[in-house]
Coordinates of all heavy atoms in Angstrom, one line a residue:
M1 N -8.4 21.6 10.5 CA -8.6 20.3 11.1 C -7.8 19.3 10.3 O -7.9 19.2 9.1 CB -10.1 19.9 11.2 CG -10.3 18.6 11.8 SD -12.0 18.2 12.1 CE -12.5 17.7 10.5
I2 N -7.1 18.5 11.0 CA -6.3 17.4 10.4 C -7.0 16.1 10.6 O -7.4 15.7 11.8 CB -4.9 17.3 10.9 CG1 -4.2 18.7 10.7 CG2 -4.1 16.2 10.3 CD1 -2.9 18.8 11.5
L3 N -7.3 15.3 9.6 CA -7.9 14.0 9.7 C -6.8 12.9 9.6 O -6.0 12.9 8.6 CB -8.9 13.8 8.6 CG -10.2 14.6 8.7 CD1 -11.1 14.3 7.5 CD2 -10.9 14.2 10.0
I4 N -6.8 12.1 10.6 CA -5.8 10.9 10.6 C -6.6 9.7 10.3 O -7.6 9.4 11.0 CB -5.2 10.8 12.0 CG1 -4.4 12.1 12.4 CG2 -4.2 9.6 12.0 CD1 -3.2 12.4 11.6
P5 N -6.2 8.9 9.3 CA -6.9 7.7 8.9 C -6.5 6.5 9.8 O -5.5 5.8 9.4 CB -6.6 7.5 7.4 CG -5.2 8.1 7.3 CD -5.1 9.2 8.3
C6 N -7.2 6.2 10.8 CA -6.9 5.0 11.6 C -7.2 3.7 10.8 O -8.3 3.7 10.2 CB -7.7 5.0 12.9 SG -7.5 3.5 13.9
P7 N -6.3 2.7 10.7 CA -6.6 1.5 9.9 C -7.8 0.8 10.4 O -8.4 0.0 9.7 CB -5.3 0.7 10.1 CG -4.3 1.6 10.6 CD -5.0 2.7 11.3
W8 N -8.2 0.9 11.7 CA -9.4 0.2 12.2 C -10.6 1.0 12.3 O -11.7 0.5 12.2 CB -9.0 -0.4 13.6 CG -7.9 -1.3 13.6 CD1 -8.0 -2.7 13.3 CD2 -6.6 -1.1 13.8 NE1 -6.8 -3.3 13.3 CE2 -5.9 -2.3 13.6 CE3 -5.8 0.0 14.1 CZ2 -4.5 -2.5 13.7 CZ3 -4.4 -0.1 14.3 CH2 -3.8 -1.3 14.1
C9 N -10.5 2.3 12.6 CA -11.7 3.2 12.9 C -12.0 4.1 11.7 O -13.1 4.7 11.7 CB -11.4 4.0 14.1 SG -10.9 3.1 15.5
G10 N -11.1 4.3 10.8 CA -11.3 5.2 9.7 C -10.8 6.6 10.0 O -10.2 6.8 11.0
P11 N -11.1 7.6 9.2 CA -10.6 9.0 9.4 C -11.2 9.6 10.7 O -12.5 9.6 10.8 CB -11.1 9.8 8.2 CG -11.5 8.8 7.2 CD -11.9 7.5 7.9
R12 N -10.4 10.2 11.5 CA -10.8 10.8 12.8 C -10.0 12.1 13.0 O -8.9 12.2 12.4 CB -10.6 9.9 14.0 CG -11.4 8.6 13.9 CD -12.9 8.8 14.0 NE -13.6 7.6 13.9 CZ -14.0 6.8 14.9 NH1 -13.7 7.2 16.1 NH2 -14.7 5.7 14.7
N13 N -10.5 13.0 13.8 CA -9.8 14.2 14.1 C -8.5 13.9 14.8 O -8.4 13.0 15.7 CB -10.7 15.1 15.0 CG -10.1 16.5 15.2 OD1 -8.9 16.7 15.5 ND2 -11.0 17.5 15.1
V14 N -7.5 14.7 14.6 CA -6.1 14.4 15.1 C -6.1 14.5 16.7 O -5.3 13.9 17.3 CB -5.1 15.4 14.5 CG1 -5.4 16.8 15.0 CG2 -3.7 15.0 14.8
S15 N -7.1 15.2 17.3 CA -7.2 15.3 18.7 C -7.4 14.0 19.4 O -7.2 13.9 20.6 CB -8.3 16.3 19.1 OG -9.5 15.9 18.8
E16 N -7.9 13.0 18.6 CA -8.1 11.6 19.2 C -6.8 10.8 19.3 O -6.8 9.8 19.9 CB -9.1 10.8 18.4 CG -10.5 11.4 18.4 CD -11.5 10.5 17.7 OE1 -11.1 9.3 17.4 OE2 -12.6 10.9 17.5
F17 N -5.7 11.3 18.7 CA -4.5 10.6 18.6 C -3.3 11.2 19.4 O -3.4 12.3 19.8 CB -4.1 10.5 17.1 CG -5.1 9.8 16.2 CD1 -6.1 10.6 15.7 CD2 -5.0 8.5 15.9 CE1 -7.1 10.0 14.9 CE2 -5.9 7.9 15.1 CZ -7.0 8.6 14.6
R18 N -2.3 10.4 19.6 CA -1.1 10.8 20.2 C 0.1 10.4 19.3 O 0.2 9.2 18.9 CB -0.9 10.3 21.6 CG 0.4 10.7 22.3 CD 0.5 10.2 23.7 NE 0.6 8.7 23.7 CZ 1.7 8.0 23.6 NH1 2.8 8.6 23.3 NH2 1.7 6.7 23.6
Y19 N 1.0 11.3 19.0 CA 2.2 11.0 18.2 C 3.0 10.1 19.1 O 3.3 10.5 20.3 CB 2.9 12.3 17.8 CG 4.3 12.1 17.3 CD1 4.4 11.8 15.9 CD2 5.4 12.2 18.1 CE1 5.7 11.6 15.4 CE2 6.7 12.0 17.5 CZ 6.8 11.7 16.2 OH 8.0 11.5 15.7
A20 N 3.5 9.0 18.6 CA 4.3 8.1 19.4 C 5.8 8.3 19.2 O 6.6 8.4 20.1 CB 3.9 6.7 19.2
D21 N 6.2 8.3 17.9 CA 7.7 8.3 17.6 C 7.8 8.2 16.1 O 6.9 7.9 15.4 CB 8.4 7.2 18.3 CG 9.9 7.4 18.4 OD1 10.4 8.5 18.0 OD2 10.6 6.6 18.9
E22 N 9.1 8.5 15.7 CA 9.4 8.2 14.3 C 9.5 6.6 14.2 O 9.9 6.0 15.1 CB 10.8 8.7 14.0 CG 10.9 10.2 14.0 CD 12.3 10.8 13.7 OE1 13.2 10.0 13.8 OE2 12.4 12.0 13.5
A23 N 9.0 6.2 13.0 CA 9.1 4.7 12.8 C 10.5 4.4 12.3 O 11.0 4.9 11.3 CB 8.1 4.3 11.7
K24 N 11.2 3.6 13.2 CA 12.6 3.2 12.8 C 12.8 1.8 13.4 O 12.1 1.3 14.3 CB 13.6 4.2 13.4 CG 13.4 4.5 14.8 CD 14.2 5.7 15.3 CE 13.9 6.1 16.7 NZ 14.5 7.3 17.1
V25 N 13.8 1.1 12.9 CA 14.1 -0.2 13.3 C 14.8 -0.2 14.7 O 15.8 0.6 14.9 CB 15.0 -0.9 12.3 CG1 15.4 -2.3 12.8 CG2 14.4 -0.9 10.9
R26 N 14.3 -1.0 15.6 CA 14.9 -1.0 17.0 C 16.1 -2.0 17.0 O 15.9 -3.2 16.6 CB 13.8 -1.6 18.0 CG 14.3 -1.7 19.4 CD 13.1 -2.2 20.2 NE 13.4 -2.2 21.6 CZ 13.8 -3.2 22.3 NH1 13.9 -4.4 21.7 NH2 14.1 -3.1 23.6
P27 N 17.3 -1.5 17.4 CA 18.4 -2.4 17.4 C 18.3 -3.4 18.6 O 17.6 -3.1 19.6 CB 19.6 -1.5 17.6 CG 19.1 -0.3 18.2 CD 17.6 -0.2 17.7
D28 N 18.9 -4.6 18.5 CA 18.9 -5.5 19.5 C 19.8 -4.9 20.7 O 21.0 -4.7 20.6 CB 19.6 -6.8 19.0 CG 19.6 -7.9 20.1 OD1 19.2 -7.6 21.3 OD2 20.1 -9.0 19.8
P29 N 19.1 -4.7 21.9 CA 19.9 -4.1 23.0 C 21.0 -4.9 23.5 O 22.0 -4.4 24.1 CB 18.8 -3.9 24.1 CG 17.7 -4.7 23.7 CD 17.8 -5.0 22.2
N30 N 21.0 -6.2 23.3 CA 22.1 -7.1 23.7 C 23.2 -7.2 22.7 O 24.3 -7.7 23.1 CB 21.5 -8.5 24.0 CG 20.5 -8.5 25.1 OD1 20.7 -7.8 26.1 ND2 19.4 -9.2 24.9
A31 N 23.0 -6.7 21.5 CA 24.1 -6.8 20.5 C 24.6 -5.5 20.0 O 25.6 -5.4 19.3 CB 23.5 -7.6 19.3
T32 N 23.9 -4.4 20.3 CA 24.4 -3.1 19.8 C 25.3 -2.4 20.8 O 25.5 -2.8 21.9 CB 23.1 -2.2 19.6 OG1 23.5 -1.1 18.8 CG2 22.5 -1.8 20.9
T33 N 25.9 -1.3 20.3 CA 26.8 -0.5 21.1 C 26.0 0.5 22.0 O 24.9 0.8 21.6 CB 27.8 0.2 20.3 OG1 27.1 1.2 19.5 CG2 28.6 -0.7 19.4
P34 N 26.6 0.9 23.1 CA 25.9 1.9 23.9 C 25.6 3.2 23.1 O 24.5 3.8 23.2 CB 26.8 2.2 25.0 CG 27.6 1.0 25.2 CD 27.8 0.5 23.8
E35 N 26.5 3.6 22.2 CA 26.3 4.8 21.4 C 25.1 4.7 20.4 O 24.2 5.5 20.3 CB 27.5 5.2 20.6 CG 27.4 6.4 19.8 CD 28.6 6.8 19.1 OE1 29.0 6.1 18.1 OE2 29.3 7.8 19.5
R36 N 25.0 3.5 19.8 CA 23.9 3.2 18.8 C 22.6 3.1 19.6 O 21.5 3.6 19.1 CB 24.2 1.9 18.1 CG 23.2 1.7 16.9 CD 23.8 0.8 15.9 NE 22.7 0.6 14.9 CZ 22.3 -0.6 14.5 NH1 22.9 -1.7 15.0 NH2 21.3 -0.7 13.7
W37 N 22.6 2.5 20.8 CA 21.4 2.4 21.6 C 20.9 3.8 22.0 O 19.7 4.1 22.0 CB 21.6 1.5 22.8 CG 20.4 1.3 23.6 CD1 20.1 1.7 24.8 CD2 19.2 0.6 23.2 NE1 18.9 1.3 25.3 CE2 18.3 0.6 24.2 CE3 18.8 -0.1 22.0 CZ2 17.0 0.0 24.2 CZ3 17.6 -0.7 22.0 CH2 16.7 -0.6 23.0
R38 N 21.8 4.6 22.5 CA 21.5 6.0 22.9 C 20.9 6.8 21.7 O 19.9 7.5 21.8 CB 22.7 6.7 23.4 CG 22.5 8.1 24.0 CD 23.8 8.6 24.7 NE 25.0 8.4 24.0 CZ 26.0 7.5 24.5 NH1 25.8 6.9 25.6 NH2 27.1 7.4 23.8
T39 N 21.5 6.6 20.5 CA 21.0 7.3 19.3 C 19.6 6.8 19.0 O 18.7 7.6 18.7 CB 21.9 7.0 18.1 OG1 23.2 7.5 18.4 CG2 21.4 7.6 16.8
Y40 N 19.3 5.5 19.1 CA 17.9 5.0 18.9 C 16.9 5.6 19.9 O 15.8 6.0 19.5 CB 17.9 3.5 19.0 CG 16.6 2.9 19.1 CD1 15.7 2.8 18.0 CD2 16.0 2.5 20.3 CE1 14.5 2.3 18.0 CE2 14.8 1.9 20.4 CZ 14.0 1.9 19.3 OH 12.7 1.4 19.4
L41 N 17.3 5.7 21.1 CA 16.4 6.2 22.2 C 16.2 7.7 22.1 O 15.0 8.2 22.3 CB 17.0 5.9 23.6 CG 16.9 4.4 24.0 CD1 17.6 4.3 25.4 CD2 15.5 3.8 24.0
Y42 N 17.2 8.5 21.8 CA 17.1 10.0 22.0 C 17.2 10.8 20.8 O 16.8 12.0 20.8 CB 18.1 10.4 23.1 CG 17.9 9.7 24.4 CD1 18.9 8.9 24.8 CD2 16.8 9.9 25.2 CE1 18.8 8.2 26.1 CE2 16.6 9.3 26.4 CZ 17.6 8.4 26.8 OH 17.5 7.8 28.0
M43 N 17.8 10.4 19.7 CA 18.0 11.2 18.6 C 16.8 11.1 17.6 O 16.4 10.0 17.3 CB 19.3 10.9 17.9 CG 20.5 11.0 18.8 SD 20.7 12.6 19.5 CE 21.2 13.6 18.1
R44 N 16.4 12.2 17.0 CA 15.3 12.2 16.1 C 15.8 12.9 14.8 O 16.5 13.9 14.9 CB 14.1 12.9 16.6 CG 13.5 12.3 17.9 CD 13.0 10.9 17.6 NE 12.5 10.3 18.8 CZ 13.2 9.4 19.5 NH1 14.4 9.0 19.1 NH2 12.7 8.8 20.6
D45 N 15.3 12.5 13.6 CA 15.7 13.1 12.4 C 15.0 14.4 12.2 O 15.6 15.4 11.6 CB 15.4 12.2 11.2 CG 16.3 11.0 11.2 OD1 17.4 11.0 11.8 OD2 15.9 9.9 10.7
N46 N 13.7 14.6 12.5 CA 12.9 15.8 12.3 C 13.0 16.4 10.9 O 13.4 17.5 10.8 CB 13.3 16.8 13.4 CG 12.3 17.9 13.5 OD1 11.2 17.8 13.1 ND2 12.8 19.1 14.0
P47 N 12.6 15.6 9.9 CA 12.8 16.1 8.5 C 11.7 17.1 8.1 O 10.6 17.1 8.7 CB 12.7 14.8 7.7 CG 11.7 14.0 8.5 CD 12.1 14.3 9.9
A48 N 12.0 17.9 7.2 CA 11.0 18.8 6.6 C 10.5 18.1 5.3 O 11.2 18.1 4.3 CB 11.5 20.2 6.3
G49 N 9.4 17.4 5.4 CA 8.9 16.7 4.2 C 8.3 15.4 4.7 O 7.9 15.2 5.8
W50 N 8.2 14.4 3.8 CA 7.6 13.1 4.1 C 8.4 12.3 5.1 O 9.6 12.2 5.0 CB 7.4 12.3 2.8 CG 6.3 12.9 2.0 CD1 6.4 13.7 0.9 CD2 4.9 12.8 2.2 NE1 5.2 14.1 0.4 CE2 4.2 13.5 1.2 CE3 4.1 12.1 3.2 CZ2 2.8 13.6 1.2 CZ3 2.7 12.2 3.1 CH2 2.1 13.0 2.1
T51 N 7.7 11.8 6.1 CA 8.3 10.9 7.1 C 7.4 9.8 7.5 O 6.2 9.9 7.3 CB 8.8 11.8 8.3 OG1 9.5 10.9 9.2 CG2 7.6 12.4 9.0
T52 N 7.9 8.8 8.1 CA 7.1 7.7 8.6 C 7.1 7.7 10.1 O 8.2 7.8 10.7 CB 7.6 6.3 8.1 OG1 7.7 6.4 6.6 CG2 6.7 5.2 8.5
E53 N 5.9 7.7 10.7 CA 5.8 7.9 12.1 C 4.8 6.8 12.7 O 4.0 6.2 12.0 CB 5.1 9.3 12.4 CG 5.9 10.4 11.8 CD 5.1 11.7 11.9 OE1 3.8 11.7 11.8 OE2 5.7 12.7 12.0
K54 N 5.0 6.6 14.0 CA 4.1 5.8 14.8 C 3.1 6.7 15.5 O 3.5 7.6 16.1 CB 4.8 4.9 15.8 CG 5.6 3.8 15.2 CD 6.2 2.9 16.2 CE 7.6 3.2 16.4 NZ 8.3 2.4 17.4
W55 N 1.8 6.3 15.5 CA 0.8 7.1 16.2 C -0.1 6.1 17.0 O -0.1 4.9 16.7 CB -0.1 7.8 15.1 CG 0.5 9.0 14.5 CD1 1.5 9.0 13.6 CD2 0.2 10.4 14.8 NE1 1.8 10.3 13.3 CE2 1.0 11.2 14.0 CE3 -0.8 11.0 15.7 CZ2 1.0 12.6 14.1 CZ3 -0.8 12.3 15.7 CH2 0.0 13.1 14.9
F56 N -0.7 6.7 18.0 CA -1.5 5.9 18.9 C -2.9 6.5 19.0 O -3.1 7.7 19.2 CB -0.9 5.9 20.4 CG -1.7 5.1 21.4 CD1 -1.9 3.8 21.3 CD2 -2.3 5.8 22.5 CE1 -2.6 3.1 22.2 CE2 -3.0 5.1 23.4 CZ -3.2 3.8 23.3
H57 N -4.0 5.7 18.7 CA -5.3 6.1 18.7 C -5.9 6.1 20.2 O -6.6 5.1 20.5 CB -6.2 5.3 17.8 CG -7.5 6.0 17.5 ND1 -8.4 5.5 16.6 CD2 -8.0 7.2 17.9 CE1 -9.5 6.3 16.5 NE2 -9.2 7.3 17.3
R58 N -5.5 7.1 21.0 CA -5.8 7.0 22.4 C -7.3 7.2 22.7 O -7.8 6.7 23.7 CB -5.0 8.1 23.1 CG -5.4 9.5 22.7 CD -4.5 10.6 23.5 NE -4.8 11.9 23.0 CZ -5.9 12.6 23.4 NH1 -6.8 12.1 24.2 NH2 -6.1 13.8 22.9
A59 N -8.1 7.9 21.9 CA -9.5 8.1 22.2 C -10.4 7.2 21.3 O -11.6 7.5 21.1 CB -9.9 9.5 22.0
G60 N -9.8 6.1 20.8 CA -10.6 5.2 19.9 C -10.2 3.8 20.2 O -10.5 3.3 21.3
C61 N -9.6 3.1 19.3 CA -9.4 1.7 19.4 C -8.1 1.4 20.3 O -7.9 0.3 20.6 CB -9.1 1.1 18.0 SG -7.7 1.8 17.1
R62 N -7.4 2.4 20.7 CA -6.2 2.3 21.5 C -5.2 1.3 20.9 O -4.6 0.5 21.6 CB -6.6 1.9 22.9 CG -7.6 2.9 23.6 CD -7.8 2.7 25.0 NE -6.6 2.8 25.8 CZ -6.0 3.9 26.2 NH1 -6.5 5.1 25.8 NH2 -4.9 3.9 26.9
R63 N -4.9 1.5 19.6 CA -3.9 0.7 18.9 C -2.9 1.6 18.3 O -3.2 2.8 18.0 CB -4.6 -0.2 17.9 CG -5.5 -1.2 18.4 CD -6.0 -2.0 17.2 NE -6.9 -3.1 17.7 CZ -7.6 -3.9 16.9 NH1 -7.6 -3.6 15.6 NH2 -8.3 -4.8 17.4
Y64 N -1.7 1.1 18.1 CA -0.6 1.8 17.4 C -0.7 1.5 15.9 O -1.1 0.4 15.5 CB 0.7 1.3 17.9 CG 1.1 1.9 19.3 CD1 0.7 1.2 20.4 CD2 1.7 3.1 19.4 CE1 1.0 1.7 21.7 CE2 2.0 3.6 20.7 CZ 1.6 2.9 21.8 OH 1.9 3.4 23.0
F65 N -0.3 2.4 15.1 CA -0.2 2.2 13.6 C 0.9 3.1 13.1 O 1.4 4.0 13.7 CB -1.6 2.5 13.0 CG -2.1 3.8 13.1 CD1 -1.9 4.8 12.2 CD2 -2.9 4.2 14.2 CE1 -2.4 6.1 12.3 CE2 -3.4 5.5 14.4 CZ -3.1 6.4 13.5
T66 N 1.2 2.8 11.8 CA 2.3 3.6 11.1 C 1.6 4.5 10.1 O 0.7 4.1 9.4 CB 3.2 2.6 10.4 OG1 3.8 1.7 11.4 CG2 4.4 3.3 9.8
L67 N 2.1 5.7 10.1 CA 1.5 6.8 9.3 C 2.6 7.5 8.5 O 3.7 7.8 9.0 CB 0.8 7.8 10.2 CG 0.1 8.9 9.5 CD1 -1.2 8.4 8.9 CD2 -0.3 10.0 10.5
E68 N 2.4 7.7 7.2 CA 3.2 8.6 6.4 C 2.7 9.9 6.3 O 1.5 10.1 5.9 CB 3.4 8.0 4.9 CG 4.2 6.7 4.9 CD 4.4 6.3 3.5 OE1 4.4 7.1 2.5 OE2 4.6 5.1 3.3
R69 N 3.4 10.9 6.8 CA 2.9 12.3 6.9 C 4.0 13.3 6.4 O 5.2 13.1 6.7 CB 2.6 12.6 8.4 CG 2.0 14.0 8.6 CD 1.6 14.1 10.1 NE 2.8 14.2 11.0 CZ 3.5 15.3 11.3 NH1 3.1 16.4 10.9 NH2 4.5 15.2 12.1
D70 N 3.5 14.3 5.7 CA 4.4 15.4 5.3 C 4.4 16.4 6.5 O 3.4 17.0 6.8 CB 3.8 16.1 4.0 CG 4.8 17.1 3.5 OD1 5.5 17.7 4.2 OD2 4.7 17.3 2.2
T71 N 5.6 16.6 7.0 CA 5.7 17.5 8.2 C 5.5 19.0 7.9 O 5.4 19.8 8.8 CB 7.0 17.3 8.9 OG1 8.1 17.5 8.0 CG2 7.2 15.9 9.5
V72 N 5.6 19.3 6.6 CA 5.4 20.7 6.2 C 3.9 21.1 6.0 O 3.4 22.1 6.5 CB 6.2 21.0 4.9 CG1 6.0 22.4 4.4 CG2 7.7 20.8 5.1
S73 N 3.2 20.2 5.3 CA 1.8 20.5 5.0 C 0.8 19.7 5.8 O -0.4 19.9 5.8 CB 1.5 20.2 3.5 OG 1.7 18.8 3.3
N74 N 1.3 18.7 6.6 CA 0.5 17.8 7.4 C -0.4 16.9 6.5 O -1.4 16.4 7.0 CB -0.4 18.5 8.4 CG 0.4 18.8 9.7 OD1 1.2 18.0 10.1 ND2 0.1 19.9 10.3
A75 N 0.0 16.8 5.2 CA -0.8 15.8 4.3 C -0.4 14.4 4.8 O 0.7 14.1 5.2 CB -0.4 16.1 2.9
V76 N -1.4 13.5 4.6 CA -1.2 12.1 5.0 C -1.5 11.3 3.8 O -2.4 11.5 3.1 CB -2.2 11.7 6.1 CG1 -2.1 10.3 6.4 CG2 -1.9 12.6 7.4
R77 N -0.6 10.3 3.5 CA -0.8 9.5 2.3 C -0.9 8.0 2.6 O -1.4 7.3 1.7 CB 0.3 9.8 1.3 CG 1.6 9.3 1.6 CD 2.6 9.6 0.5 NE 4.0 9.2 0.9 CZ 5.1 9.6 0.3 NH1 4.9 10.4 -0.8 NH2 6.3 9.3 0.7
A78 N -0.6 7.5 3.7 CA -0.7 6.1 4.0 C -0.8 5.8 5.5 O 0.0 6.5 6.2 CB 0.4 5.3 3.3
A79 N -1.6 4.9 5.9 CA -1.6 4.4 7.3 C -1.8 2.9 7.3 O -2.5 2.4 6.5 CB -2.8 5.0 8.1
E80 N -1.0 2.2 8.1 CA -1.1 0.8 8.2 C -1.0 0.3 9.6 O -0.3 1.0 10.4 CB -0.1 0.1 7.3 CG 1.3 0.3 7.7 CD 2.3 -0.4 6.8 OE1 2.1 -0.3 5.5 OE2 3.3 -0.9 7.3
A81 N -1.5 -0.8 9.9 CA -1.5 -1.4 11.2 C 0.0 -1.7 11.7 O 0.8 -2.1 10.8 CB -2.3 -2.7 11.3
S82 N 0.3 -1.4 12.9 CA 1.6 -1.7 13.4 C 1.6 -3.0 14.2 O 0.6 -3.4 14.8 CB 2.0 -0.6 14.4 OG 3.3 -0.8 14.9
R83 N 2.7 -3.7 14.1 CA 2.8 -5.0 14.7 C 3.2 -4.8 16.2 O 3.0 -5.7 17.0 CB 3.9 -5.9 14.1 CG 3.4 -6.4 12.8 CD 4.5 -7.1 12.0 NE 5.3 -6.1 11.3 CZ 6.5 -6.4 10.8 NH1 7.0 -7.5 10.9 NH2 7.1 -5.4 10.2
E84 N 3.7 -3.7 16.6 CA 4.0 -3.4 18.0 C 2.8 -3.1 18.8 O 1.9 -2.5 18.3 CB 5.0 -2.3 18.1 CG 6.4 -2.6 17.5 CD 7.4 -1.5 17.6 OE1 7.3 -0.8 18.7 OE2 8.1 -1.2 16.7
V85 N 2.8 -3.4 20.1 CA 1.7 -3.1 21.0 C 2.1 -2.1 22.0 O 3.2 -2.1 22.5 CB 1.2 -4.4 21.7 CG1 0.1 -4.0 22.7 CG2 0.7 -5.4 20.7
Ligands
ZN101 ZN1 -8.6 3.5 15.8

């Protein structure tokens, strides 16, 4: 069982959550090139090791947050509230 620490609800079973995306900076769609926008929308790094991700607590507070997770061991070391809704 994997416990995900929601910043508002505390540690909960991973089945209450939905993976949203890798946490990355969104380029300005009016100022970026089509290639860079396409890369932002569709390309993922998929690293083996520590990565920063966005998660959604769908069966709890229904808020997004940022999580640092090791993709090899599923260890979690930090979670913080996300500014995006
Ligand atoms: Zn929550």
Side-chain angles (χ1 to χ4, degrees):
M1 180 172 80
I2 301 170
L3 289 178
I4 301 288
C6 176
W8 296 276
C9 307
R12 300 290 178 93
N13 190 314
V14 69
S15 64
E16 293 187 10
F17 298 87
R18 180 177 63 83
Y19 171 84
D21 198 0
E22 293 176 349
K24 53 191 170 187
V25 177
R26 180 179 187 260
D28 180 357
N30 297 318
T32 191
T33 64
E35 181 178 71
R36 189 158 175 235
W37 184 248
R38 185 173 41 251
T39 299
Y40 167 75
L41 289 177
Y42 300 113
M43 301 304 288
R44 302 294 178 261
D45 291 337
N46 195 23
W50 288 100
T51 185
T52 305
E53 304 169 327
K54 287 187 261 182
W55 283 73
F56 178 65
H57 195 178
R58 62 179 177 79
C61 60
R62 303 191 60 78
R63 293 180 177 174
Y64 286 90
F65 59 95
T66 304
L67 181 75
E68 288 184 27
R69 183 177 65 91
D70 187 331
T71 57
V72 176
S73 67
N74 277 325
V76 174
R77 68 179 174 194
E80 64 182 39
S82 179
R83 284 174 278 167
E84 295 180 37
V85 178

